[in-house]
Amino acid sequence: MGRPLSAEEVGSRLRARFGDDVEVADTFGQVAATVTVDRYHDLVRFLRDEPELACDFCDFTGGVDLGPDGGFEVVTQLTSTEHHHDVRVKVRLPSTEPACPTISDLFPTCDWHERETMEMFGIRFEGHPHPVKLLLAEPFEGFPLRKDFPLMSREVKPWPGVPEGEEVEDDE
Amino acid sequence: METQLHGGFGQGLVKGLSVTLRTMLHRSVTVQYPHVRPDLPARSRGVIALKQENCTVCYKCSRECPDWCIYIDAHKETHEPAGGGRARSAKILDRFAIDYALCMYCGICVEACPFDALFWSREFDYAEYDIHELTHEKERLEEWTYTVLPPPPLEVGAEAPEEASA
Amino acid sequence: MAQRGLDVGVITEKTPIAKIKPVRFLLNWGRRYSLWVFNFGLACCSIEFIAASTAKNDFIRLGVIPFAHGPRQADLLVVAGTLTDKMAPVIKRLYDQMPDPKYVISFGSCSNCGGPYWDSYSVTKGVDQIIPVDVFVPGCPPRPEALLHGIIRLQEKIRDEDIQEKFRSGTTAVS
């Protein structure tokens, strides 16, 4: 029977093993561990193999675009089916040439999640066995979920909400 | 599957056929559209009707529409009052079209309209051969106002609307 | 412009007997009341399509026989749901596999013109960009009775149709 660990306990175990490479925060009761790129794979392996953490179920792997100043972030949620606690792992990546090691060798489900993150954000996952597009059609250019990707239909079609002769108010 | 050990030869056949006969003689639940139209509730989202005399051309519905499917054209006219005084200007609606090919029947325009010019009607049968014919102009939208039902009665215990108590 | 499907049957654009009025009436009557539907249910509209095939609103009483076993045995294609760019070559291939004469009903806003996803990066804005469509049924989703109305309008269109003209032009929709 498992024992769910609190955020401080998870944090102390991670800090003991990884030192300054990881920052653990308690976000609304959820543990979020922000780790550097080169320790990402080791951290996920530690979370999976350590008996008191035993995070054996990968919920999802996704990406976040934090804008031109923030870069990208890869977020992975790992859950322990034995202890019933979850850990969210975040990796900060630079805005240009974002690259991150793959965890699909540890969790096979991340294969498809990383393919989707690759095609939507342009983040390269090193060591991925099959880095082809998952959801987008093959000749698609660009990375749709980036903040600077324009929706072409909204560019091409004029907004019908403006009376003729009036200027569009620019709220942004 | 149990086999019938008693009852005689052909018992399973008789039982099966009796079920068939019972189903055959049972009244069917099919609603015979197009001869019988379904009885839909008053709040059904079939089509949006426009009451032109209520519309003040504020463009709110067109702005709020997430599909950008309401097209409004209008112009201003000024009238001199007969008894002298300042000229009044009024907005005249030239064109009010809803593109029902794009419309997703969310009802944001009906809710956003501050002057109660848009109503839900429960008509659903306006399929067309050509997609451009699915953009309906204000004349057709006005025709649909005659099919709009009064709102359903409030539930027991609900607050009376402000207009009723005034 | 869609490819010509396989010619099945005796009547083609070269058969003069199809021009005689009683023969034409009989052929159109037979064709419009025996449509085999190949359901291409992609999203929520397919639920309404299935509802139209159940007992309450039965489209089999209009002559539309449900669920052909594949495109090669169907003559009506009902596209119900959102067509994404990744699915577009698939629907084109399935449409090409249907034998002539074939008809297409576009069911719901998403297949009419993209619908609520008109601004998406991965949605084809309307199935009529890929294949010719005969009847557009508006709604999001349309009622099952709206599909029955759409089928009735298609049947009216087939009643006034010239089968030779249909085979000669190579497409099924008047555009």
Side-chain angles (χ1 to χ4, degrees), chain A residues 134-135 140 151 153-154, chain C residues 85-86 118-119 121 125:
Chain A
L134 184 71
L135 299 171
F140 197 91
L151 290 174
S153 303
R154 289 206 181 239
Chain C
D85 285 338
K86 198 146 183 165
W118 66 279
D119 51 358
Y121 48 85
K125 323 285 186 288

Side-chain angles (χ1 to χ4, degrees), chain B residues 3-107:
Chain B
T3 50
Q4 298 277 40
L5 293 175
H6 55 272
F9 180 71
Q11 193 67 11
L13 184 67
V14 170
K15 271 191 189 282
L17 284 177
S18 70
V19 172
T20 307
L21 193 68
R22 205 177 319 129
T23 311
M24 196 172 77
L25 299 173
H26 180 42
R27 175 166 303 156
S28 79
V29 297
T30 310
V31 175
Q32 298 281 348
Y33 184 84
H35 307 293
V36 174
R37 292 184 58 95
D39 188 23
L40 298 175
R43 294 178 294 184
S44 308
R45 298 169 174 222
V47 77
I48 297 171
L50 169 75
K51 193 165 180 191
Q52 280 183 62
E53 55 185 25
N54 286 2
C55 178
T56 61
V57 201
C58 66
Y59 282 82
K60 272 210 167 65
C61 53
S62 190
R63 284 187 223 261
E64 297 294 330
C65 176
D67 281 356
W68 294 6
C69 73
I70 300 183
Y71 309 117
I72 300 178
D73 284 334
H75 65 272
K76 276 201 179 126
E77 278 181 6
T78 51
H79 308 286
E80 301 276 343
R86 203 167 65 93
R88 308 272 182 236
S89 70
K91 281 196 247 187
I92 309 292
L93 190 64
D94 293 326
R95 180 185 181 225
F96 188 105
I98 298 182
D99 186 357
Y100 282 107
L102 270 173
C103 178
M104 62 167 166
Y105 300 83
C106 56

Side-chain angles (χ1 to χ4, degrees), chain C residues 43-56:
Chain C
C44 5
C45 280
S46 62
I47 307 296
E48 296 295 326
F49 177 86
I50 292 164
S53 71
T54 56
K56 183 133 187 241

